[in-house]
Amino acid sequence: MRKTALLAVVTVFGALGLLIPATSSANAAIPHNFTRHEQVHWTWYGPGSWTAAEGANDLWIGSATGKQYLHYGAGGAPCAYPGLWDANPTSYFNFVRAGYLGAAHQNFDLYSFGLNKARYTKVRPIQTVGPNWFRQTSLFQGKRNGKLIKGEMVLDFFYAGSGACGQRQQVRSTPSNGFANSINTLRTAQTLIFGPR
């Protein structure tokens, strides 16, 4: 993750009473073609041929070909951490978006294989999700071997109390050809991520 100082994410989520996944009825909504995947830190459901890499605070999921890509990350730090956590969601969202764009050509950033000519096509207004909890969604696109790749990024920023702030990052991307079906599959897989533990 793009932080040099992390607190235990479980502490941050516990302070807010947050659970992953975001939907409470996720178990009842597992598609018939999804299977259970167990990692050291995470459990997730997706097509059987999909694979994942993980860290204590991050999960990277990809289709067998790597054409469909999902990154989920979460963490926390003191709100006063200089230059990053300053309890200002606008500054934080700008910082994270700029970081992703600056590294877009690298694998497992905005896309599993990296992107050329990456740009944000829409940055939506910040939404208030709950008390001291903010969300911003952005759309992006780029090129990979001459093919258009499109995606979406959902960033969350929240104050957990006692001077601690937390964040979550969701990045989903896929080729523009067949985008609607692919992005829906990625969104469904996103709701079926459990962890970290």
Side-chain angles (χ1 to χ4, degrees):
M1 300 186 69
R2 293 167 173 76
K3 290 139 205 87
T4 56
L6 288 174
L7 297 178
V9 68
V10 174
T11 302
V12 175
F13 287 144
L16 283 177
L18 297 176
L19 296 174
I20 302 172
T23 56
S24 60
S25 59
N27 281 330
I30 298 172
H32 66 85
N33 63 332
F34 276 27
T35 59
R36 182 184 177 97
H37 299 262
E38 286 284 347
Q39 311 292 140
V40 173
H41 302 285
W42 305 85
T43 298
W44 58 280
Y45 290 81
S49 63
W50 285 20
T51 60
E54 67 165 358
N57 295 87
D58 293 272
L59 179 66
W60 297 268
I61 299 173
S63 62
T65 60
K67 290 183 178 179
Q68 292 168 292
Y69 171 70
L70 184 159
H71 170 229
Y72 181 84
C79 294
Y81 189 74
L84 180 58
W85 303 92
D86 58 2
N88 181 336
T90 299
S91 297
Y92 178 72
F93 292 148
N94 290 343
F95 173 85
V96 175
R97 280 198 317 276
Y100 271 102
L101 197 61
H105 63 282
Q106 298 178 9
N107 293 351
F108 306 110
D109 200 76
L110 286 177
Y111 188 52
S112 54
F113 298 116
L115 291 177
N116 296 316
K117 299 181 179 178
R119 65 184 180 90
Y120 293 104
T121 57
K122 181 176 287 187
V123 178
R124 294 183 174 141
I126 295 173
Q127 298 176 303
T128 301
V129 179
N132 300 312
W133 183 359
F134 305 95
R135 175 172 295 157
Q136 188 166 47
T137 300
S138 302
L139 307 180
F140 62 87
Q141 67 180 38
K143 294 285 185 75
R144 177 67 186 176
N145 294 331
K147 295 184 177 179
L148 182 64
I149 306 298
K150 296 168 62 177
E152 58 190 12
M153 174 188 295
V154 181
L155 302 176
D156 287 273
F157 179 95
F158 45 85
Y159 177 67
S162 301
C165 287
Q167 60 81 29
R168 296 195 296 187
Q169 304 171 23
Q170 303 173 43
V171 178
R172 298 179 282 270
S173 51
T174 184
S176 61
N177 186 22
F179 179 81
N181 286 336
S182 292
I183 203 70
N184 284 337
T185 299
L186 290 166
R187 288 170 181 162
T188 301
Q190 180 72 62
T191 67
L192 297 168
I193 294 172
F194 299 85
R197 58 177 175 269

